Amino acid sequence: MVLGAHISIAGGISNAPIYGKDTTCDTIQIFTKNQMQWKIPVLNADEVRIFKSRMKENNILPGTVHSSYLVNLASADSNILRRSICDLAQELERAEVLGINYVVFHPGAHKGEGEESGLKRISDSIKEIFSMSQSKKSSLILETTAGEGTTLGYKFEHLAEIVDSVNDQERIGVCIDTCHIFAAGYDIRDEISYERTISEFDRIIGLKFLKAVHLNDSKKELSSRMDRHEEIGCGKIGLKGFSFFVNDERFKSLPGILETPGGTEGYKKNLSVLRGLVIH
Ligand SMILES: [Zn+2]
Ligand SMILES: [Zn+2]
């Protein structure tokens, strides 16, 4: 696994590779804009050029872009749905310009409309995004969720249904968030449960669709359906669960991104803990 973290773009996107290096990242995840706003600032050409050259200079592999938290492709509110579709269509283009292949997003919340209609709306929205976006290479990556409230994506079946409905399968993928799947009821704490969870993912979705992993421990218990990230090894998953991920040959080239609390120092500590789990 190529290890890294979600890195700030404070002061401009071109700073992210420097922050990533300071944090000892081999790869990074970034927002390309303020994640709490719909506003999409133009990507300045100089900024893009510097970002790319700094990524190379600092030996940081392109990882993932994380979409805005406002995006909800399952929304029954036509205004929010429209904004969400436009936002992701543009994020694909922005990621491509930055040389990043993956745009990770949370599938959406149905807000009482029902799971089936929510899933259908997500699938239809993704088709529209692909037909609308000028991007040719970047893919949309559905993130597994903890299943808080009415969010979809807490069952592998949800993600499989969406993936199967998309025509352009080269451009869709899935990101496992260890905290989220654990909170959703998929155990990974010992070898048997880990293998069971991964083979279930393979059977239901297909491992070829797994493009990234978010490495977060969980403050909450198995099946709590609550999304509360914890430092690696300090939560309810524990170190053993992470040792399976970082040593799994199948995931050798996947970005493994931390989204743990504790800022840069926390990331550095967690990265060193994860690296310490790797068996050479
Ligand atoms: Zn995540
Ligand atoms: Zn989370």
Side-chain angles (χ1 to χ4, degrees):
M1 197 161 267
V2 185
L3 299 174
H6 185 102
I7 294 296
S8 157
I9 56 161
I13 284 178
S14 66
N15 287 337
I18 308 274
Y19 298 149
K21 183 70 181 175
D22 292 346
T23 314
T24 75
C25 289
D26 297 318
T27 187
I28 55 173
Q29 173 172 277
I30 55 167
F31 294 121
T32 75
K33 54 190 172 61
N34 186 319
Q35 75 277 17
M36 300 308 284
Q37 291 177 14
W38 288 114
K39 209 175 90 195
I40 306 178
V42 176
L43 272 181
N44 171 295
D46 277 341
E47 190 71 1
V48 170
R49 189 179 45 76
I50 300 169
F51 172 83
K52 287 170 120 174
S53 70
R54 285 180 174 170
M55 288 288 279
K56 279 212 181 80
E57 281 161 28
N58 293 292
N59 293 315
I60 296 178
L61 291 171
T64 50
V65 159
H66 197 295
S67 85
S68 152
Y69 289 137
L70 302 176
V71 163
N72 182 7
L73 294 185
S75 182
D77 178 323
S78 60
N79 181 40
I80 292 174
L81 185 62
R82 188 77 355 237
R83 281 171 179 250
S84 300
I85 290 170
C86 293
D87 188 276
L88 283 179
Q90 290 209 43
E91 285 285 26
L92 281 174
E93 294 169 17
R94 293 162 77 82
E96 192 156 315
V97 167
L98 292 166
I100 303 171
N101 289 328
Y102 304 128
V103 175
V104 176
F105 72 107
H106 300 175
H110 65 77
K111 311 258 184 195
E113 289 270 300
E115 295 199 337
E116 266 322 303
S117 62
L119 290 169
K120 170 86 169 60
R121 197 168 278 130
I122 296 167
S123 297
D124 291 345
S125 304
I126 290 173
K127 285 176 206 158
E128 200 175 336
I129 292 165
F130 285 156
S131 67
M132 189 171 165
S133 180
Q134 301 296 313
S135 119
K136 300 275 178 287
K137 277 187 263 166
S138 296
S139 305
L140 282 179
I141 308 298
L142 299 151
E143 181 167 348
T144 54
T145 66
E148 260 182 293
T150 63
T151 55
L152 296 160
Y154 63 90
K155 278 184 184 166
F156 293 159
E157 283 83 354
H158 291 170
L159 303 165
E161 189 175 324
I162 299 166
V163 167
D164 289 345
S165 74
V166 175
N167 295 326
D168 204 349
Q169 300 234 315
E170 295 293 307
R171 303 189 66 197
I172 192 94
V174 175
C175 168
I176 284 184
D177 184 307
T178 53
C179 167
H180 299 176
I181 60 168
F182 182 74
Y186 294 99
D187 201 355
I188 47 175
R189 289 173 294 186
D190 58 74
E191 198 161 3
I192 291 170
S193 62
Y194 173 80
E195 283 304 334
R196 190 189 299 125
T197 291
I198 300 301
S199 54
E200 226 173 295
F201 184 100
D202 193 27
R203 180 173 56 81
I204 297 167
I205 304 172
L207 274 180
K208 68 170 181 171
F209 290 105
L210 183 64
K211 305 295 184 191
V213 179
H214 285 168
L215 296 165
N216 303 307
D217 209 330
S218 174
K219 282 195 200 302
K220 301 290 176 182
E221 296 288 352
L222 180 72
S223 308
S224 65
R225 300 273 294 263
M226 289 209 284
D227 179 8
R228 301 289 183 280
H229 299 188
E230 180 56 285
E231 313 270 335
I232 303 298
C234 302
K236 303 293 179 191
I237 297 175
L239 285 181
K240 217 167 160 193
F242 294 96
S243 74
F244 302 127
F245 276 97
V246 297
N247 287 298
D248 197 318
E249 278 292 310
R250 296 167 290 187
F251 307 153
K252 221 165 139 181
S253 60
L254 296 187
I257 306 283
L258 288 165
E259 298 172 323
T260 45
T264 305
E265 287 313 306
Y267 281 154
K268 276 161 98 170
K269 191 188 75 196
N270 286 310
L271 282 170
S272 109
V273 167
L274 288 171
R275 287 179 178 126
L277 297 173
V278 178
I279 301 159
H280 296 283

